[in-house]
Amino acid sequence: MNSLRLRHHATHDRYGVRTTQPELLTCERTGAETHGIRIAIGTDPLTAKTYTLTEGEAATLADWILDELAE
């Protein structure tokens, strides 16, 4: 898998008030020379935040996520 897209739909409370914003998380591999991933968070291309991680940084993030989910 070379890319991942996760879409979070806005949630609302029982009165119809939006409690979370809709978001889009995309991940894709960077070029073969850098061996990393690029993560973008946001639905609007103008305001989305993009982060580029090296292979080691991505592995550290993945390990941290797994540890947090295991608790």
Side-chain angles (χ1 to χ4, degrees), residues 47-65:
T47 60
K49 301 295 182 192
T50 301
Y51 305 93
T52 302
L53 304 175
T54 65
E55 185 176 2
E57 292 167 338
T60 300
L61 177 60
D63 289 341
W64 179 82
I65 291 170

Side-chain angles (χ1 to χ4, degrees), residues 6-20:
L6 298 174
R7 182 170 298 279
H8 169 74
H9 297 282
T11 55
H12 299 82
D13 66 11
R14 63 183 177 167
Y15 302 109
V17 177
R18 187 166 54 188
T19 57
T20 62

